[in-house]
Amino acid sequence: MAYFLQQLINGLTLGAIYGLIALGYTMVYGIIGMINFAHGEIYMVGAFVSLISFLVLGAAGITWVPLMLAIVLVISMVFTSIYGWTIERLAYRPLRGSVRLAPLISAIGVSIFLQNYVQLVQGARIKPLPPVIRGGFTLMGDGDNFVVQLSYLQIIIMLLTVGLMVAFTMVITRTDLGRAQRACEQDKTMAALLGVNVDRTISMTFVMGAALAAVAGVMVTMYYGVVDFYIGFLAGVKAFTAAVLGGIGSLPGAMLGGILIGLIESFWSAYFTIEYKDVAAFAILVMVLIFRPTGLLGRPEIEKV
Amino acid sequence: MTAMLTVSGVKTFYGSIEALKGVDLIVEEGEIVTLIGANGAGKSTLLMTVCGSPQARYGRITFEGRDITRVPTFEIVRRGIAQSPEGRRIFGRMTVLENLQMGAVTARAATFDRDLERVFTLFPRLKERLSQRAGTMSGGEQQMLAIGRALMSQPRLLLLDEPSLGLAPLVVKQIFEVIREINREQGMTVFLVEQNAYHALKLAHRAYVLVTGRITMSGTGAELLANPEVRTAYLEGGH
Ligand SMILES: Nc1ncnc2c1ncn2[C@@H]1O[C@H](COP(=O)(O)OP(=O)(O)O)[C@@H](O)[C@H]1O
Ligand SMILES: [Mg+2]
């Protein structure tokens, strides 16, 4: 029971992170119908920027955790937003209106470029970060000395994620920008006829997705304490799987999918073999695509107009 | 009177297909002008070209004396032209209220409530349905919403593309009544595209006939209604 509870906590933490990344995939897919394969790399860039920021702040003597965390979050979000905006501008917008495959190939190109770029400027070795937030609660122990730990960091990750998801949902459902995004998702020409600057709305979508990925990057850097130039690929595939599992294009679906993938991965490593934990995500992706391509909360393609 | 909208020598292409082959027409302030023509003549293309989507390849379009031929689509509505396009194109997954808010994207927030009330006065049905998902409404209600949405931008020129398409005769009558009212009460200039030539010609001050990308006839609504050629081509088979 204790062991199960521990996996549940770990899985939810992981799931929160995947959910944040998955939102970026699903938003971009929703608005331009394209899988942004460079999104995992945005998250990786966010993780690197956060690592460097933590180290610089530490060296500068700023060690009060809330302040440190706030500064790192802001810096990472600003950096990834610029990356997200630039990628859309340079690699996708010029290809809008050409064949469907073109931006996809461009995305893969951007992804390879970013990996190599970070590898070149940061080196290929794994970069460590000393723990920023230590400690936590011991929830329960059982007979054979297994204790359930809920770390402060896990609490922060979950609270931050929930807060962001609520804020994000408000933006999409209540604000002019969110309404314009949903309008572009349904009919770009009509949105333009009504005065929506479609290009700018698409740019904003990339910026929002990138900022959320940055938060995930910050959290992972703190959670695992290591970063390397290749983390974007696996996290990207898993978050993409989460988005597909939840129903690509659906925001609640991305959050739900993220949590499910986190839980599956956590329980898989705990009860089966840890070596195959990454395979689990791929297997789910394949199965969802075969048996339920619209995902759990996705809407069927046909709709009354 | 000053020409509000002028279209001169406009040619529009889809790839290599020439959909408009040099169209000239004008709409004066305060008029209802209708453009009739068979399916595929290029009526919708003309309305969309006025809004810059697609842009005219040749020719010139002016609105209130300024050239708008190369103005991007999302700026057109800021100049004062709103369109209720063919097929209505309402946002089916949004509520009625959200659709109307989309119509007000370029309008001043201060006048939103007043504009909303004005739309409700024209289409009381929309008020009852404010929080309903627009895609679940009937065709007639969706058409009302499309026109209401266009009005929310406080346009000076209203472009309507086949508002009667697929609607029951009673609803068509209602919609045309509202168009007349918008024109009379609010002085709104209306450019109306219709296949339903009889109703359109009865309503309009002036009319043009479009045949495969060219204007072939023009005159007052009454003139065209009496014209034998128009009668055989567009009014036979009842209305
Ligand atoms: N998006 C498009 N791509 C290619 N051809 C089009 C497109 N839209 C319309 N056309 C063609 O342009 C011509 C005029 O169409 P349209 O303006 O829709 O006519 P109408 O509104 O009078 O029925 C038709 O031959 C039609 O097939
Ligand atoms: Mg048409």
mmCIF file of all heavy atoms in Angstrom, chain A residues 132-170:
data_model
loop_
_atom_site.group_PDB
_atom_site.id
_atom_site.type_symbol
_atom_site.label_atom_id
_atom_site.label_comp_id
_atom_site.label_asym_id
_atom_site.label_seq_id
_atom_site.Cartn_x
_atom_site.Cartn_y
_atom_site.Cartn_z
ATOM 1 N N VAL A 132 17.856 22.362 -5.108
ATOM 2 C CA VAL A 132 17.455 23.727 -4.762
ATOM 3 C C VAL A 132 16.510 23.696 -3.564
ATOM 4 O O VAL A 132 16.591 24.504 -2.661
ATOM 5 C CB VAL A 132 16.765 24.393 -5.970
ATOM 6 C CG1 VAL A 132 16.303 25.799 -5.616
ATOM 7 C CG2 VAL A 132 17.708 24.433 -7.162
ATOM 8 N N ILE A 133 15.599 22.753 -3.587
ATOM 9 C CA ILE A 133 14.618 22.629 -2.508
ATOM 10 C C ILE A 133 14.754 21.244 -1.896
ATOM 11 O O ILE A 133 14.584 20.237 -2.589
ATOM 12 C CB ILE A 133 13.188 22.824 -3.058
ATOM 13 C CG1 ILE A 133 13.061 24.216 -3.656
ATOM 14 C CG2 ILE A 133 12.162 22.608 -1.958
ATOM 15 C CD1 ILE A 133 11.808 24.406 -4.477
ATOM 16 N N ARG A 134 15.105 21.189 -0.638
ATOM 17 C CA ARG A 134 15.258 19.898 0.029
ATOM 18 C C ARG A 134 14.094 19.650 0.966
ATOM 19 O O ARG A 134 13.355 20.557 1.310
ATOM 20 C CB ARG A 134 16.535 19.895 0.874
ATOM 21 C CG ARG A 134 17.817 19.968 0.096
ATOM 22 C CD ARG A 134 18.948 20.226 1.089
ATOM 23 N NE ARG A 134 20.130 20.772 0.437
ATOM 24 C CZ ARG A 134 21.091 20.029 -0.077
ATOM 25 N NH1 ARG A 134 21.018 18.718 -0.026
ATOM 26 N NH2 ARG A 134 22.129 20.600 -0.665
ATOM 27 N N GLY A 135 14.004 18.411 1.389
ATOM 28 C CA GLY A 135 13.082 18.081 2.466
ATOM 29 C C GLY A 135 11.681 17.772 1.988
ATOM 30 O O GLY A 135 11.386 17.809 0.786
ATOM 31 N N GLY A 136 10.826 17.403 2.948
ATOM 32 C CA GLY A 136 9.467 17.058 2.598
ATOM 33 C C GLY A 136 8.780 16.389 3.770
ATOM 34 O O GLY A 136 9.290 16.417 4.896
ATOM 35 N N PHE A 137 7.628 15.825 3.489
ATOM 36 C CA PHE A 137 6.888 15.139 4.539
ATOM 37 C C PHE A 137 7.099 13.639 4.420
ATOM 38 O O PHE A 137 7.165 13.110 3.309
ATOM 39 C CB PHE A 137 5.385 15.411 4.388
ATOM 40 C CG PHE A 137 5.031 16.863 4.485
ATOM 41 C CD1 PHE A 137 4.659 17.576 3.354
ATOM 42 C CD2 PHE A 137 5.075 17.512 5.717
ATOM 43 C CE1 PHE A 137 4.331 18.916 3.440
ATOM 44 C CE2 PHE A 137 4.742 18.850 5.807
ATOM 45 C CZ PHE A 137 4.375 19.555 4.666
ATOM 46 N N THR A 138 7.136 12.974 5.557
ATOM 47 C CA THR A 138 7.067 11.531 5.551
ATOM 48 C C THR A 138 5.633 11.184 5.905
ATOM 49 O O THR A 138 5.167 11.504 7.000
ATOM 50 C CB THR A 138 8.033 10.939 6.587
ATOM 51 O OG1 THR A 138 9.345 11.394 6.259
ATOM 52 C CG2 THR A 138 8.000 9.428 6.551
ATOM 53 N N LEU A 139 4.942 10.603 4.951
ATOM 54 C CA LEU A 139 3.513 10.420 5.155
ATOM 55 C C LEU A 139 3.196 9.187 5.996
ATOM 56 O O LEU A 139 2.380 9.227 6.882
ATOM 57 C CB LEU A 139 2.793 10.322 3.809
ATOM 58 C CG LEU A 139 2.788 11.603 2.993
ATOM 59 C CD1 LEU A 139 1.976 11.408 1.737
ATOM 60 C CD2 LEU A 139 2.213 12.761 3.802
ATOM 61 N N MET A 140 3.813 8.067 5.665
ATOM 62 C CA MET A 140 3.537 6.865 6.444
ATOM 63 C C MET A 140 4.628 5.847 6.232
ATOM 64 O O MET A 140 5.322 5.831 5.212
ATOM 65 C CB MET A 140 2.187 6.266 6.047
ATOM 66 C CG MET A 140 2.100 5.853 4.584
ATOM 67 S SD MET A 140 0.439 5.454 4.085
ATOM 68 C CE MET A 140 0.404 3.704 4.284
ATOM 69 N N GLY A 141 4.822 5.031 7.215
ATOM 70 C CA GLY A 141 5.742 3.913 7.053
ATOM 71 C C GLY A 141 4.916 2.668 7.229
ATOM 72 O O GLY A 141 3.842 2.710 7.806
ATOM 73 N N ASP A 142 5.359 1.538 6.668
ATOM 74 C CA ASP A 142 4.613 0.322 7.003
ATOM 75 C C ASP A 142 5.579 -0.728 7.550
ATOM 76 O O ASP A 142 6.742 -0.444 7.803
ATOM 77 C CB ASP A 142 3.760 -0.180 5.832
ATOM 78 C CG ASP A 142 4.591 -0.656 4.657
ATOM 79 O OD1 ASP A 142 5.819 -0.749 4.808
ATOM 80 O OD2 ASP A 142 3.999 -0.914 3.609
ATOM 81 N N GLY A 143 5.073 -1.911 7.764
ATOM 82 C CA GLY A 143 5.800 -2.956 8.471
ATOM 83 C C GLY A 143 7.244 -3.127 8.031
ATOM 84 O O GLY A 143 8.183 -3.072 8.833
ATOM 85 N N ASP A 144 7.432 -3.252 6.719
ATOM 86 C CA ASP A 144 8.799 -3.547 6.277
ATOM 87 C C ASP A 144 9.593 -2.274 5.989
ATOM 88 O O ASP A 144 10.356 -2.194 5.033
ATOM 89 C CB ASP A 144 8.796 -4.493 5.066
ATOM 90 C CG ASP A 144 7.652 -4.175 4.135
ATOM 91 O OD1 ASP A 144 7.040 -3.099 4.307
ATOM 92 O OD2 ASP A 144 7.356 -4.979 3.226
ATOM 93 N N ASN A 145 9.379 -1.263 6.790
ATOM 94 C CA ASN A 145 10.237 -0.079 6.783
ATOM 95 C C ASN A 145 10.168 0.772 5.523
ATOM 96 O O ASN A 145 11.056 1.563 5.280
ATOM 97 C CB ASN A 145 11.714 -0.462 7.011
ATOM 98 C CG ASN A 145 11.923 -0.961 8.426
ATOM 99 O OD1 ASN A 145 11.195 -0.548 9.340
ATOM 100 N ND2 ASN A 145 12.878 -1.851 8.593
ATOM 101 N N PHE A 146 9.142 0.608 4.728
ATOM 102 C CA PHE A 146 9.041 1.466 3.553
ATOM 103 C C PHE A 146 8.292 2.728 3.945
ATOM 104 O O PHE A 146 7.199 2.665 4.486
ATOM 105 C CB PHE A 146 8.312 0.754 2.413
ATOM 106 C CG PHE A 146 8.316 1.562 1.154
ATOM 107 C CD1 PHE A 146 9.408 1.502 0.299
ATOM 108 C CD2 PHE A 146 7.263 2.427 0.850
ATOM 109 C CE1 PHE A 146 9.421 2.265 -0.847
ATOM 110 C CE2 PHE A 146 7.299 3.197 -0.290
ATOM 111 C CZ PHE A 146 8.371 3.121 -1.146
ATOM 112 N N VAL A 147 8.910 3.890 3.680
ATOM 113 C CA VAL A 147 8.237 5.128 4.039
ATOM 114 C C VAL A 147 7.806 5.867 2.786
ATOM 115 O O VAL A 147 8.489 5.820 1.761
ATOM 116 C CB VAL A 147 9.135 6.055 4.884
ATOM 117 C CG1 VAL A 147 9.334 5.477 6.261
ATOM 118 C CG2 VAL A 147 10.445 6.311 4.202
ATOM 119 N N VAL A 148 6.664 6.525 2.873
ATOM 120 C CA VAL A 148 6.170 7.303 1.745
ATOM 121 C C VAL A 148 6.629 8.743 1.905
ATOM 122 O O VAL A 148 6.372 9.364 2.924
ATOM 123 C CB VAL A 148 4.635 7.250 1.684
ATOM 124 C CG1 VAL A 148 4.131 8.075 0.510
ATOM 125 C CG2 VAL A 148 4.178 5.817 1.581
ATOM 126 N N GLN A 149 7.318 9.220 0.920
ATOM 127 C CA GLN A 149 7.841 10.578 0.960
ATOM 128 C C GLN A 149 7.069 11.480 0.002
ATOM 129 O O GLN A 149 6.833 11.115 -1.139
ATOM 130 C CB GLN A 149 9.315 10.590 0.509
ATOM 131 C CG GLN A 149 10.259 9.889 1.432
ATOM 132 C CD GLN A 149 10.672 10.764 2.602
ATOM 133 O OE1 GLN A 149 10.280 11.919 2.682
ATOM 134 N NE2 GLN A 149 11.457 10.203 3.509
ATOM 135 N N LEU A 150 6.696 12.622 0.499
ATOM 136 C CA LEU A 150 6.144 13.653 -0.373
ATOM 137 C C LEU A 150 7.032 14.875 -0.185
ATOM 138 O O LEU A 150 6.993 15.526 0.854
ATOM 139 C CB LEU A 150 4.694 13.968 0.032
ATOM 140 C CG LEU A 150 4.018 15.131 -0.710
ATOM 141 C CD1 LEU A 150 3.928 14.859 -2.194
ATOM 142 C CD2 LEU A 150 2.630 15.382 -0.138
ATOM 143 N N SER A 151 7.865 15.128 -1.189
ATOM 144 C CA SER A 151 8.845 16.199 -1.004
ATOM 145 C C SER A 151 8.203 17.560 -1.222
ATOM 146 O O SER A 151 7.181 17.685 -1.898
ATOM 147 C CB SER A 151 10.024 16.005 -1.953
ATOM 148 O OG SER A 151 9.611 16.247 -3.273
ATOM 149 N N TYR A 152 8.806 18.575 -0.627
ATOM 150 C CA TYR A 152 8.317 19.937 -0.846
ATOM 151 C C TYR A 152 8.327 20.268 -2.341
ATOM 152 O O TYR A 152 7.444 20.926 -2.867
ATOM 153 C CB TYR A 152 9.187 20.949 -0.089
ATOM 154 C CG TYR A 152 9.107 20.813 1.407
ATOM 155 C CD1 TYR A 152 10.242 20.935 2.203
ATOM 156 C CD2 TYR A 152 7.881 20.559 2.028
ATOM 157 C CE1 TYR A 152 10.173 20.806 3.580
ATOM 158 C CE2 TYR A 152 7.798 20.423 3.406
ATOM 159 C CZ TYR A 152 8.948 20.548 4.183
ATOM 160 O OH TYR A 152 8.860 20.409 5.534
ATOM 161 N N LEU A 153 9.371 19.774 -2.997
ATOM 162 C CA LEU A 153 9.488 20.052 -4.427
ATOM 163 C C LEU A 153 8.300 19.464 -5.200
ATOM 164 O O LEU A 153 7.744 20.109 -6.093
ATOM 165 C CB LEU A 153 10.809 19.476 -4.964
ATOM 166 C CG LEU A 153 11.080 19.727 -6.440
ATOM 167 C CD1 LEU A 153 11.039 21.215 -6.767
ATOM 168 C CD2 LEU A 153 12.425 19.143 -6.845
ATOM 169 N N GLN A 154 7.920 18.239 -4.815
ATOM 170 C CA GLN A 154 6.760 17.625 -5.498
ATOM 171 C C GLN A 154 5.492 18.451 -5.264
ATOM 172 O O GLN A 154 4.686 18.638 -6.167
ATOM 173 C CB GLN A 154 6.566 16.193 -4.998
ATOM 174 C CG GLN A 154 7.612 15.239 -5.560
ATOM 175 C CD GLN A 154 7.461 13.832 -5.019
ATOM 176 O OE1 GLN A 154 7.193 13.634 -3.840
ATOM 177 N NE2 GLN A 154 7.650 12.855 -5.891
ATOM 178 N N ILE A 155 5.369 18.945 -4.051
ATOM 179 C CA ILE A 155 4.192 19.773 -3.749
ATOM 180 C C ILE A 155 4.216 21.035 -4.609
ATOM 181 O O ILE A 155 3.211 21.412 -5.220
ATOM 182 C CB ILE A 155 4.162 20.147 -2.251
ATOM 183 C CG1 ILE A 155 3.982 18.883 -1.424
ATOM 184 C CG2 ILE A 155 3.036 21.146 -1.972
ATOM 185 C CD1 ILE A 155 4.087 19.107 0.070
ATOM 186 N N ILE A 156 5.405 21.655 -4.681
ATOM 187 C CA ILE A 156 5.526 22.874 -5.480
ATOM 188 C C ILE A 156 5.199 22.586 -6.947
ATOM 189 O O ILE A 156 4.470 23.341 -7.597
ATOM 190 C CB ILE A 156 6.943 23.470 -5.338
ATOM 191 C CG1 ILE A 156 7.111 24.041 -3.924
ATOM 192 C CG2 ILE A 156 7.189 24.548 -6.393
ATOM 193 C CD1 ILE A 156 8.496 24.539 -3.636
ATOM 194 N N ILE A 157 5.722 21.495 -7.459
ATOM 195 C CA ILE A 157 5.465 21.151 -8.862
ATOM 196 C C ILE A 157 3.971 20.997 -9.118
ATOM 197 O O ILE A 157 3.422 21.545 -10.074
ATOM 198 C CB ILE A 157 6.227 19.860 -9.255
ATOM 199 C CG1 ILE A 157 7.727 20.140 -9.311
ATOM 200 C CG2 ILE A 157 5.709 19.301 -10.583
ATOM 201 C CD1 ILE A 157 8.582 18.936 -9.630
ATOM 202 N N MET A 158 3.323 20.268 -8.219
ATOM 203 C CA MET A 158 1.896 20.026 -8.450
ATOM 204 C C MET A 158 1.069 21.310 -8.307
ATOM 205 O O MET A 158 0.183 21.572 -9.108
ATOM 206 C CB MET A 158 1.385 18.932 -7.516
ATOM 207 C CG MET A 158 1.885 17.558 -7.949
ATOM 208 S SD MET A 158 1.102 16.263 -7.012
ATOM 209 C CE MET A 158 2.511 15.334 -6.432
ATOM 210 N N LEU A 159 1.395 22.095 -7.280
ATOM 211 C CA LEU A 159 0.645 23.342 -7.085
ATOM 212 C C LEU A 159 0.862 24.299 -8.255
ATOM 213 O O LEU A 159 -0.083 24.896 -8.792
ATOM 214 C CB LEU A 159 1.071 24.022 -5.779
ATOM 215 C CG LEU A 159 0.554 23.381 -4.491
ATOM 216 C CD1 LEU A 159 1.003 24.189 -3.273
ATOM 217 C CD2 LEU A 159 -0.974 23.286 -4.524
ATOM 218 N N LEU A 160 2.113 24.415 -8.667
ATOM 219 C CA LEU A 160 2.433 25.320 -9.769
ATOM 220 C C LEU A 160 1.703 24.883 -11.044
ATOM 221 O O LEU A 160 1.144 25.698 -11.782
ATOM 222 C CB LEU A 160 3.951 25.321 -9.979
ATOM 223 C CG LEU A 160 4.547 26.468 -10.765
ATOM 224 C CD1 LEU A 160 4.193 27.787 -10.120
ATOM 225 C CD2 LEU A 160 6.070 26.322 -10.835
ATOM 226 N N THR A 161 1.688 23.578 -11.258
ATOM 227 C CA THR A 161 1.026 23.056 -12.461
ATOM 228 C C THR A 161 -0.473 23.319 -12.420
ATOM 229 O O THR A 161 -1.052 23.794 -13.402
ATOM 230 C CB THR A 161 1.280 21.538 -12.593
ATOM 231 O OG1 THR A 161 2.678 21.323 -12.594
ATOM 232 C CG2 THR A 161 0.675 21.005 -13.866
ATOM 233 N N VAL A 162 -1.069 23.012 -11.289
ATOM 234 C CA VAL A 162 -2.517 23.238 -11.178
ATOM 235 C C VAL A 162 -2.824 24.722 -11.379
ATOM 236 O O VAL A 162 -3.720 25.100 -12.142
ATOM 237 C CB VAL A 162 -3.051 22.749 -9.809
ATOM 238 C CG1 VAL A 162 -4.484 23.207 -9.599
ATOM 239 C CG2 VAL A 162 -2.957 21.232 -9.735
ATOM 240 N N GLY A 163 -2.021 25.578 -10.723
ATOM 241 C CA GLY A 163 -2.223 27.020 -10.857
ATOM 242 C C GLY A 163 -2.111 27.465 -12.304
ATOM 243 O O GLY A 163 -2.960 28.209 -12.821
ATOM 244 N N LEU A 164 -1.084 26.971 -12.989
ATOM 245 C CA LEU A 164 -0.881 27.350 -14.383
ATOM 246 C C LEU A 164 -2.010 26.861 -15.273
ATOM 247 O O LEU A 164 -2.463 27.563 -16.171
ATOM 248 C CB LEU A 164 0.441 26.770 -14.898
ATOM 249 C CG LEU A 164 1.673 27.632 -14.682
ATOM 250 C CD1 LEU A 164 2.907 26.899 -15.143
ATOM 251 C CD2 LEU A 164 1.528 28.946 -15.448
ATOM 252 N N MET A 165 -2.452 25.637 -15.009
ATOM 253 C CA MET A 165 -3.516 25.084 -15.851
ATOM 254 C C MET A 165 -4.811 25.866 -15.665
ATOM 255 O O MET A 165 -5.537 26.107 -16.624
ATOM 256 C CB MET A 165 -3.711 23.598 -15.568
ATOM 257 C CG MET A 165 -2.569 22.780 -16.162
ATOM 258 S SD MET A 165 -2.778 21.024 -15.919
ATOM 259 C CE MET A 165 -1.388 20.387 -16.877
ATOM 260 N N VAL A 166 -5.082 26.268 -14.422
ATOM 261 C CA VAL A 166 -6.278 27.070 -14.173
ATOM 262 C C VAL A 166 -6.151 28.421 -14.899
ATOM 263 O O VAL A 166 -7.059 28.838 -15.641
ATOM 264 C CB VAL A 166 -6.500 27.291 -12.660
ATOM 265 C CG1 VAL A 166 -7.582 28.337 -12.427
ATOM 266 C CG2 VAL A 166 -6.870 25.975 -11.990
ATOM 267 N N ALA A 167 -5.004 29.060 -14.725
ATOM 268 C CA ALA A 167 -4.793 30.368 -15.356
ATOM 269 C C ALA A 167 -4.911 30.257 -16.867
ATOM 270 O O ALA A 167 -5.567 31.067 -17.535
ATOM 271 C CB ALA A 167 -3.412 30.896 -14.976
ATOM 272 N N PHE A 168 -4.295 29.205 -17.395
ATOM 273 C CA PHE A 168 -4.285 28.980 -18.817
ATOM 274 C C PHE A 168 -5.701 28.741 -19.359
ATOM 275 O O PHE A 168 -6.098 29.296 -20.390
ATOM 276 C CB PHE A 168 -3.402 27.759 -19.049
ATOM 277 C CG PHE A 168 -3.292 27.352 -20.450
ATOM 278 C CD1 PHE A 168 -2.457 28.026 -21.301
ATOM 279 C CD2 PHE A 168 -4.030 26.283 -20.922
ATOM 280 C CE1 PHE A 168 -2.363 27.652 -22.611
ATOM 281 C CE2 PHE A 168 -3.936 25.903 -22.229
ATOM 282 C CZ PHE A 168 -3.110 26.589 -23.069
ATOM 283 N N THR A 169 -6.473 27.942 -18.625
ATOM 284 C CA THR A 169 -7.851 27.680 -19.028
ATOM 285 C C THR A 169 -8.664 28.972 -19.033
ATOM 286 O O THR A 169 -9.488 29.202 -19.924
ATOM 287 C CB THR A 169 -8.505 26.657 -18.074
ATOM 288 O OG1 THR A 169 -7.660 25.502 -18.025
ATOM 289 C CG2 THR A 169 -9.881 26.255 -18.553
ATOM 290 N N MET A 170 -8.402 29.825 -18.030
ATOM 291 C CA MET A 170 -9.096 31.114 -17.987
ATOM 292 C C MET A 170 -8.758 31.946 -19.225
ATOM 293 O O MET A 170 -9.631 32.571 -19.826
ATOM 294 C CB MET A 170 -8.684 31.917 -16.744
ATOM 295 C CG MET A 170 -9.030 31.264 -15.442
ATOM 296 S SD MET A 170 -10.792 31.188 -15.188
ATOM 297 C CE MET A 170 -11.012 32.660 -14.229
#
